[in-house]
Amino acid sequence: MSQEINKAEKQDLSLVVQAIGTDLEHTQVRMITSANADMLFHYWKVGHFILYLQKKEGWGSKVIDNLSKAIHSKYPDKKGYSRRNIFYMCQFASAYPLEVLKEMDRIDSLLTTPTVEKVLSLTNELNQIVQQPVALIQATENQSNTITQQPVALLEEVTETLSAIYHCDISLIEEIFKHSAIVRTNWASHVILLNSKLPLGERYWYITQAVANGWSRNVLQVQIDTNLFARQITAKKVSNFSARLPKPQSDLANYLMKDPYIFDMMGQTEAMNERDIERQLVQHITKYLLEMGSGFAFVAQQKHFEVGDSDFYADLILYNIQLHAYVVIELKATPFKPEYMGQLNFYINVVDDTLRGEHDNKTIGLLLCNGGDKVVAQYALSGYDQPIGVSDYQLSKAIPDNLKSALPTVEEVEEELNRLVDIKSI
């Protein structure tokens, strides 16, 4: 027995600890997600209930003021029942009735592998759903501005009222709600989306992107303000991905591409050249990767290549874990010129030959220019066999430092690349 104990003590338990730790982390995420879903479901129910009483009792906005005070008086330790938040609960309920949640669930099942065409088609379907206008409670002079304790007591009947509204058991309503896309993001993000006045389809897409990319509420606001949906989904993109990459990689590359890209610069001047822009991007790499999109990580700036007897320097090299491919970025401070394409094509060939591994897909090139004629760019693409995209970029004021996302760090991409190296060495 003592020999068995000694043998067990000598074993490497790191894999066991890692397995337990991973399950603990997943459990913690599920606990947080569950708490968020419960809170959102409560707000959704309360919103429905107040809208019902609004219609039944003819409530005005001052009644909501007094309702907020009455709830706070009875439940002083409960947060989230300010007048403003109760209005948002009403908007939340009105924006996402049960039929909308069911339709979102259906679209979720069709967007497991998103493409530009799928997103456009399915978000348009959501936009066609006829919804009642947001029933914010309007103030009128002849409505009562008093409230008794009776409506507060009626809050105990929220569940029964919701079941009556939808002619459905509350357990089924809860199941539909908690399976929908709206439980995947937090209340603060929902408030931003409700304030945005975006159509339903775009709101749904921003929810999915916020979850996929780990956006904070501030990042979500920036992406809405810079119209990411238009830049990534409805933009007329210039690339040869469909002709030079196999599916589904070509679809994914086209989906991830934006036009224009918007980079935030500190100390921005109109006379900034390519090297100034590169330096700023590398110094603020987290913000840069945030704009590039999901799965991108920094590999090198001004990467040196010795080809023949000459030295060459590629502007920026990234790696995209979803595409499993290197991405070579060429930045130009001037409008597009056809000769820029030849330089980028050269760097793609070099990266394919020197960096690309056995398990990497074809290297992709992205030429970012300060404007230019897209028709000329499309003609210029036709002579190249390498996958290349051409986009504009814009420089804007810096985003606050508190923006955070779940984009991979340099260390994470190095870990992924090392894993691939280990696979090749087996």
Side-chain angles (χ1 to χ4, degrees):
M1 173 67 75
S2 61
Q3 289 179 342
E4 292 179 358
I5 293 174
N6 289 336
K7 183 178 179 181
E9 287 176 346
K10 293 178 181 179
Q11 287 178 333
D12 183 4
L13 299 178
S14 60
L15 293 177
V16 178
V17 172
Q18 180 181 344
I20 294 172
T22 299
D23 188 74
L24 174 60
E25 290 172 2
H26 290 169
T27 300
Q28 290 174 329
V29 169
R30 287 196 299 270
M31 290 171 63
I32 294 170
T33 302
S34 176
N36 181 64
D38 286 339
M39 185 190 75
L40 291 176
F41 186 50
H42 172 67
Y43 284 176
W44 188 74
K45 288 188 295 182
V46 170
H48 275 85
F49 186 62
I50 293 174
L51 291 176
Y52 165 78
L53 290 177
Q54 172 200 1
K55 185 175 181 179
K56 182 172 181 287
E57 305 292 338
W59 283 8
S61 60
K62 289 189 177 180
V63 177
I64 299 305
D65 290 342
N66 290 339
L67 174 62
S68 172
K69 294 173 184 176
I71 294 174
H72 181 71
S73 176
K74 185 167 185 177
Y75 306 102
D77 58 332
K78 301 297 182 185
K79 307 297 182 183
Y81 294 96
S82 66
R83 173 187 179 277
R84 183 170 176 266
N85 218 39
I86 290 175
F87 273 114
Y88 281 126
M89 291 179 203
C90 294
Q91 280 188 288
F92 189 52
S94 183
Y96 303 109
L98 200 62
E99 291 306 313
V100 165
L101 302 185
K102 291 178 182 177
E103 188 63 11
M104 282 184 170
D105 191 47
R106 182 187 72 83
I107 286 175
D108 265 352
S109 66
L110 299 174
L111 277 180
T112 51
T113 53
T115 66
V116 169
E117 292 75 17
K118 278 186 184 178
V119 170
L120 269 176
S121 173
L122 294 173
T123 54
N124 281 334
E125 285 185 29
L126 281 176
N127 291 341
Q128 300 308 311
I129 297 176
V130 178
Q131 294 177 253
Q132 293 182 350
V134 176
L136 284 177
I137 300 152
Q138 304 298 322
T140 58
E141 294 299 325
N142 59 354
Q143 287 178 323
S144 170
N145 63 359
T146 60
I147 184 169
T148 66
Q149 286 300 311
Q150 184 180 5
V152 179
L154 282 173
L155 285 175
E156 297 173 2
E157 300 171 12
V158 169
T159 295
E160 290 79 1
T161 301
L162 197 64
S163 292
I165 290 171
Y166 287 116
H167 308 288
C168 185
D169 186 77
I170 191 63
S171 60
L172 180 58
I173 295 173
E174 182 173 5
E175 180 182 349
I176 293 169
F177 181 90
K178 291 187 175 180
H179 196 262
S180 69
I182 64 173
V183 301
R184 298 175 201 155
T185 192
N186 57 38
W187 180 243
S189 294
H190 276 299
V191 169
I192 289 171
L193 288 163
L194 292 170
N195 284 336
S196 71
K197 309 302 181 187
L198 290 169
L200 177 62
E202 289 188 36
R203 267 186 279 129
Y204 163 79
W205 184 79
Y206 278 107
I207 289 172
T208 63
Q209 294 307 291
V211 175
N213 296 304
W215 293 343
S216 69
R217 56 185 289 185
N218 291 332
V219 172
L220 174 63
Q221 184 68 67
V222 168
Q223 300 292 21
I224 292 172
D225 289 346
T226 59
N227 205 353
L228 179 63
F229 185 84
R231 294 188 293 117
Q232 185 169 341
I233 303 302
T234 63
K236 301 298 182 184
K237 302 176 184 178
V238 177
S239 80
N240 61 1
F241 295 153
S242 59
R244 300 293 181 254
L245 292 172
K247 285 181 176 291
Q249 193 187 15
S250 60
D251 288 336
L252 180 57
N254 186 53
Y255 177 71
L256 293 175
M257 184 178 170
K258 303 177 180 68
D259 192 14
Y261 288 85
I262 298 178
F263 300 129
D264 297 275
M265 297 288 158
M266 302 290 290
Q268 172 191 336
T269 65
E270 291 186 5
M272 291 179 76
N273 59 29
E274 287 105 347
R275 192 62 60 84
D276 293 329
I277 297 169
E278 290 168 30
R279 191 177 300 111
Q280 285 277 5
L281 294 179
V282 173
Q283 287 175 354
H284 304 279
I285 193 66
T286 301
K287 296 174 185 176
Y288 170 57
L289 292 176
L290 173 65
E291 175 60 14
M292 291 305 298
S294 176
F296 282 96
F298 176 74
V299 177
Q301 175 207 16
Q302 287 295 309
K303 173 67 175 175
H304 173 248
F305 294 105
E306 186 175 344
V307 181
D309 295 328
S310 302
D311 294 317
F312 297 91
Y313 299 87
D315 286 348
L316 290 163
I317 299 178
L318 308 180
Y319 191 89
N320 186 275
I321 294 176
Q322 290 175 281
L323 291 166
H324 275 281
Y326 286 98
V327 180
V328 183
I329 311 289
E330 275 295 297
L331 281 163
K332 300 298 177 185
T334 55
F336 173 82
K337 296 178 182 178
E339 54 263 37
Y340 293 159
M341 206 79 79
Q343 184 181 26
L344 178 57
N345 187 71
F346 170 79
Y347 285 130
I348 295 171
N349 288 329
V350 175
V351 170
D352 263 344
D353 187 55
T354 59
L355 297 182
R356 179 184 170 194
E358 180 184 350
H359 297 278
D360 295 324
N361 291 317
K362 289 188 69 173
T363 301
I364 295 170
L366 183 59
L367 180 61
L368 300 181
C369 298
N370 192 4
D373 191 321
K374 294 298 177 67
V375 176
V376 174
Q378 193 66 62
Y379 272 107
L381 271 176
S382 62
Y384 294 94
D385 293 332
Q386 296 287 18
I388 296 174
V390 181
S391 288
D392 292 343
Y393 69 84
Q394 297 174 2
L395 305 181
S396 63
K397 295 180 180 178
I399 300 173
D401 290 332
N402 61 349
L403 300 187
K404 296 180 180 179
S405 76
L407 293 173
T409 62
V410 175
E411 291 77 14
E412 288 171 334
V413 83
E414 286 176 348
E415 181 181 344
E416 174 69 8
L417 294 174
N418 289 334
R419 185 185 69 79
L420 294 176
V421 171
D422 293 339
I423 291 173
K424 287 190 286 185
S425 63
I426 292 175

